[in-house]
Amino acid sequence: MLELKDIYWNTPEGEAIVKGISLSVPEGKLTVITGPNGGGKTSLSKLIAGIYRPNGGQMLLDGQDITEWDITKRAQNGIAYAFQQPVRFKGLTVRDLLELSAEETIAADKLCSMLGTVGLCAQDYMDRTMDSSLSGGESKRIEIATVLCRKNAEIMVFDEPEAGIDLWSFSNLINAFERLKTESGRTLIIISHQERIMAIADYIAVVADGKLKSFGSREEILPQLLAGDRSSMCPVKTVEKEGC
Amino acid sequence: MDSVTKDLLGLISDMKEGSEGAFNIRENGSCAGVKSTKHIRIEPKPNASGIVIRISGDTKHETVFIPACVTRSGINDLAYNDFIVEDGADVIIVAGCGVHSNGKEETRHSGLHHFQIGKGAKVLYKEKHIGTGDGTGAKKIDPVTDIVMEEDSYMEMDTMQIRGVTETTRSTTAVLKAGAKLIIRERLLTDDEEKAYSDFSVTLDGEDSGVDLISRSVAKGNSYQEYKSVIKGNCRCTGHSECDAILSGNGIVNAAPALYAGHIDASLIHEAAIGKIAGEQIIKLCTLGLTEEEAEQKIIEGFLK
């Protein structure tokens, strides 16, 4: 289980972004972290992945203090992270990146299955370079695939996986998250404003102004969100369509 | 052929004993083996050190190996090689040079290659350079490539400097006639105190000729690289050049690409990017479980692939 204890994080300029968040992330469940823009959700997810180091507080993984662990050590110990803005590489292909992620050579049929999960046709994409020739939606889906194919990932963190993805692929993605949730037993943390993603969550945490405003089961929190301030929620929207 | 030469041959040309096809192996300035085939004739060059390679128009997908190795320090090897590719030929030329030195003296190979590529001929030219040995003397490789491409001919140059070359000056000039296409891919890695100078000059003289020149380099340690390219479009033609470089450590890259459009229908493009590896690229690969050092290595490998 991942436990955050009174976590603080300031920008290098000193602005307080995360202000004492404590959260026990339920193991083997899907937890959505939602809240208004600028509230600290992405910063919190980067703290979990080790990309940011907290200015205060403690982070425990299965009771072990991982607060000082770097990104690599966290990844090697089962924390996987999908960026909101995918990173581009000149020279590395989609296959290269997925094989690095899976830590093995991937057969064509398996590659097809991995990319199919995120709505891309492997034949069209596996030898494509991960550079600016890919659209935002394409690279976003490949970014998600790099996390889905990590074998040792016990905790998967997705930062706004819906951003830039078309309606058809988004439905596929929802199905993939549901399958992961029910079949893999992995812990999923999804940063999202999407009502449809919240609808498949087991738990919802609302983060605003750097603080945990509420946390509970979907049945408990979602009706409150729907009944109250919906400014942090988005309907599904069509952005772009790629793949086959 | 000594064992060092055999090792170098594997690194620069993938050539193994018993490889099929024509070949000429140059070792320390002398011929260590030569074989011609029905379609590819290799002869000594009269009045100069080097060879003449005549590739007949009947050649289809054949490979000719012409590696050069210098394995003793203090040697300054100079070879003049002429490639005469007849109209309609289709050939793969695997060149490459390895310089090995365990001594204090400067060791050098200069290959001056002249290509005459006939009408409709197709050439794939592959060249790898490497320096090995723990000698303190400089290991230098200075290739000069001069290309004349006749109508509708096609040439692809795939050149790579793998490692260990103390200093290199690489000069390539090409003149293209109507419909000729030239593709150049240069990949260059320098480290420590190494220096590399690349100079390309491509003249598009024939209607609908075209060149695509992409140079990718990594400058590590205290190494220094200088890149110059000039594409001259004298008619309706297309030219594209791209130089991308990654800096690591105290590496320095000085790039000066130039375009000259001497005709209203000359369409020329240049792209350039120099910088260190983006921090976010390292972070992404670290989230996949790689260390920062492994991530940097992977990014460089991919970039130079």
Side-chain angles (χ1 to χ4, degrees), chain B residues 40-56:
Chain B
I40 302 173
R41 306 294 305 166
I42 301 176
E43 296 158 1
K45 193 174 170 74
N47 307 322
S49 174
I51 51 176
V52 178
I53 300 108
R54 294 181 190 279
I55 298 159
S56 93

Side-chain angles (χ1 to χ4, degrees), chain B:
Chain B
M1 210 191 306
D2 65 32
S3 61
V4 177
T5 301
K6 285 181 182 172
D7 290 344
L8 286 175
L9 284 179
L11 290 168
I12 61 174
S13 70
D14 301 325
M15 188 182 175
K16 298 177 182 69
E17 279 183 319
S19 288
E20 288 186 6
F23 65 83
N24 182 87
I25 301 169
R26 187 178 177 90
E27 181 187 41
N28 298 318
S30 301
C31 178
V34 61
K35 184 179 132 190
S36 293
T37 60
K38 183 181 174 187
H39 298 135
I40 302 173
R41 306 294 305 166
I42 301 176
E43 296 158 1
K45 193 174 170 74
N47 307 322
S49 174
I51 51 176
V52 178
I53 300 108
R54 294 181 190 279
I55 298 159
S56 93
D58 294 327
T59 306
K60 299 297 171 199
H61 312 299
E62 288 182 42
T63 301
V64 53
F65 295 91
I66 50 146
C69 299
V70 180
T71 62
R72 290 202 297 269
S73 64
I75 288 181
N76 184 357
D77 181 29
L78 177 62
Y80 296 87
N81 297 334
D82 291 348
F83 297 81
I84 299 164
V85 184
E86 293 182 355
D87 295 356
D90 183 346
V91 66
I92 299 160
I93 299 167
V94 182
C97 176
V99 171
H100 178 91
S101 167
N102 287 327
K104 294 177 183 173
E105 303 90 347
E106 177 180 301
T107 307
R108 181 173 181 235
H109 172 80
S110 302
L112 288 81
H113 291 179
H114 173 73
F115 287 86
Q116 183 69 43
I117 302 176
K119 291 178 183 174
K122 186 178 175 188
V123 176
L124 170 59
Y125 178 75
K126 296 160 83 169
E127 181 184 81
K128 287 182 189 171
H129 289 167
I130 191 168
T132 61
D134 52 16
T136 53
K139 302 174 194 89
K140 295 186 176 180
I141 300 179
D142 298 320
V144 176
T145 308
D146 173 30
I147 306 161
V148 176
M149 298 182 67
E150 297 295 335
E151 290 172 20
D152 300 319
S153 60
Y154 174 91
M155 183 175 187
E156 193 172 327
M157 283 183 73
D158 183 1
T159 68
M160 183 173 197
Q161 179 168 301
I162 303 168
R163 60 180 149 82
V165 178
T166 315
E167 189 171 325
T168 183
T169 302
R170 309 154 65 88
S171 171
T172 304
T173 57
V175 176
L176 278 66
K177 297 186 181 171
K181 305 288 181 209
L182 176 62
I183 312 291
I184 300 174
R185 298 286 181 265
E186 179 190 55
R187 289 160 292 165
L188 206 55
L189 173 67
T190 55
D191 201 351
D192 300 324
E193 305 294 330
E194 293 166 5
K195 293 181 173 61
Y197 303 88
S198 282
D199 194 343
F200 294 94
S201 175
V202 179
T203 304
L204 302 166
D205 271 348
E207 294 279 295
D208 299 322
S209 57
V211 61
D212 185 26
L213 193 178
I214 297 182
S215 172
R216 284 191 175 170
S217 68
V218 176
K220 299 171 79 173
N222 294 314
S223 66
Y224 176 82
Q225 297 180 9
E226 211 166 273
Y227 170 92
K228 290 180 186 172
S229 71
V230 181
I231 297 178
K232 292 180 184 170
N234 295 327
C235 55
R236 186 180 68 205
C237 59
T238 56
H240 170 252
S241 74
E242 182 180 329
C243 63
D244 291 338
I246 288 179
L247 302 175
S248 177
N250 297 315
I252 294 173
V253 173
N254 178 8
L259 302 175
Y260 170 86
H263 189 278
I264 188 70
D265 290 322
S267 174
L268 308 176
I269 298 169
H270 176 70
E271 301 171 70
I274 302 173
K276 65 179 180 181
I277 295 173
E280 60 187 17
Q281 293 180 331
I282 299 278
I283 289 172
K284 172 59 193 173
L285 296 193
C286 286
T287 67
L288 303 182
L290 279 69
T291 64
E292 287 189 22
E293 293 74 24
E294 289 168 340
E296 182 175 325
Q297 188 58 31
K298 279 288 169 199
I299 291 164
I300 288 174
E301 278 174 21
F303 184 71
L304 293 176
K305 190 164 59 182

